Amino acid sequence: MSGTTVLVLDAAPPAPPPRLGALTGRARILHTDGAGLAARLPLADVLLVWDFTSDAVRRAWPGAGRRPRWVHTASAGVDHLMCPELAACETVVTNARGVFDQPVAEYVAALVLALAKDLPRTLELQRERSWRHRESRRVAGTRACVVGSGPIGRAVARTLKALGVVTALVGRAPRPGVHGAEELDRLLARADWVVCAAPLTDGTRGMFDARRFGVMQPSAYFVNIGRGPLVVEDDLVAALSKRWIAGAALDVFAREPLPADSPLWTAPGLLVSPHMSGDTVGWRDELGAQFLRLYESWEAGRPLPNVVDKERGYVPGH
């Protein structure tokens, strides 16, 4: 058996553990929960963060002892594990870039169509047995501003373009096909659909606040499938209540699960979904298979794909 030890930070049941049978005889596999991570972390050469909702890595990493040479998180975002000590050390961090791109894009397209065609109200009226004819919006020819030019943002833009939506992609810096951050307000003011797919960093936290919602058109809709803290949630509730914007859909939240007493549940024109936009049938198997592919490269000494720039907090674009 190889001398390599892979430590898995397990997700709480009923989430199944990753299928790592392919590593039998090649690595020692250890499992832990968040409470036991600090004690077991010095034993590991590789850490697989299967519980991508836990901040246990961020809490345990600054402790004493040896640290893994490679950390892989089964998520696109890395804000839940990054801390100054991890950012400063030589440990390589990779993410699940590529697994969620198209599923999230399809989810955004479904939300855009549902909001344009007033499907939530149609379902309400059906439950009330009320026949009420209405007019809905045409999607083709409308404008979208997609904030975040990583793989998920690019997949969202491609999918919306297939629906006939004129789409502008906004990233940290301008490059061919991508607008720079300095153009965001101008593009927001023209957009019918604003889709947030940005990574969570010090520079993006709270980027959608009262000022940004005030820039948007009263007929515009806001969709967040990025990270919850990108949005000042109280400001969004106020914007919806004052009808600064027409409606919104959130799949991610500053606190998850969303508390039962959160005003977001009853905010007018808001669709709430439980962080499920990328979770299609078989998604956990895809995440496990991706880790095994990366492990093959790591074991062979080949460069790893999906390496996160630990200072920026995401995988740089190409």
Side-chain angles (χ1 to χ4, degrees), residues 14 50 52 66 78 89 92 117 122 146 150 202 235 314:
W50 195 245
F52 49 80
R66 186 174 73 94
V78 299
C89 73
V92 175
K117 304 307 177 185
T122 295
V146 179
D202 290 341
D235 289 359
Y314 55 88

Side-chain angles (χ1 to χ4, degrees), residues 181-240:
E182 69 279 359
E183 294 190 68
L184 177 57
D185 286 356
R186 178 181 67 82
L187 294 168
L188 290 181
R190 303 173 60 194
D192 300 291
W193 313 99
V194 176
V195 181
C196 180
L200 179 60
T201 67
D202 290 341
T204 61
R205 186 180 298 272
M207 68 183 299
F208 283 98
D209 56 8
R211 189 188 71 78
R212 287 259 161 76
F213 292 125
V215 168
M216 293 166 57
Q217 300 183 85
S219 59
Y221 289 87
F222 174 74
V223 176
N224 186 19
I225 45 78
R227 303 293 288 170
L230 295 167
V231 177
V232 180
E233 293 175 345
D234 288 345
D235 289 359
L236 175 59
V237 171
L240 291 167

Side-chain angles (χ1 to χ4, degrees), residues 33-165:
D33 57 12
L37 180 63
R40 290 204 150 189
L41 203 55
L43 305 176
D45 300 292
V46 178
L47 173 64
L48 169 56
V49 184
W50 195 245
D51 185 357
F52 49 80
T53 66
S54 171
D55 64 354
V57 176
R58 195 165 57 208
R59 289 184 279 107
W61 197 271
R66 186 174 73 94
R67 289 296 177 258
R69 291 174 285 158
W70 169 34
V71 174
H72 177 75
T73 179
S75 61
V78 299
D79 52 282
H80 60 292
L81 55 87
M82 292 306 301
C83 61
E85 292 80 3
L86 176 53
C89 73
E90 295 182 355
T91 297
V92 175
V93 176
T94 57
N95 72 353
R97 179 182 175 113
V99 171
F100 300 108
D101 307 354
Q102 193 55 37
V104 172
E106 292 172 5
Y107 198 86
V108 170
L111 290 173
V112 166
L113 289 169
L115 292 168
K117 304 307 177 185
D118 200 22
L119 292 186
R121 183 60 177 150
T122 295
L123 294 174
E124 290 176 5
L125 292 171
Q126 181 178 349
R127 284 191 291 269
E128 297 169 6
R129 304 189 182 197
S130 176
W131 181 277
R132 192 174 305 173
H133 181 270
R134 288 140 20 249
E135 294 179 346
S136 62
R137 298 178 67 176
R138 180 181 293 185
V139 171
T142 59
R143 294 178 177 271
C145 176
V146 179
V147 185
S149 58
I152 290 176
R154 294 198 301 271
V156 169
R158 287 193 304 271
T159 304
L160 292 181
K161 286 178 181 176
L163 296 175
V165 179

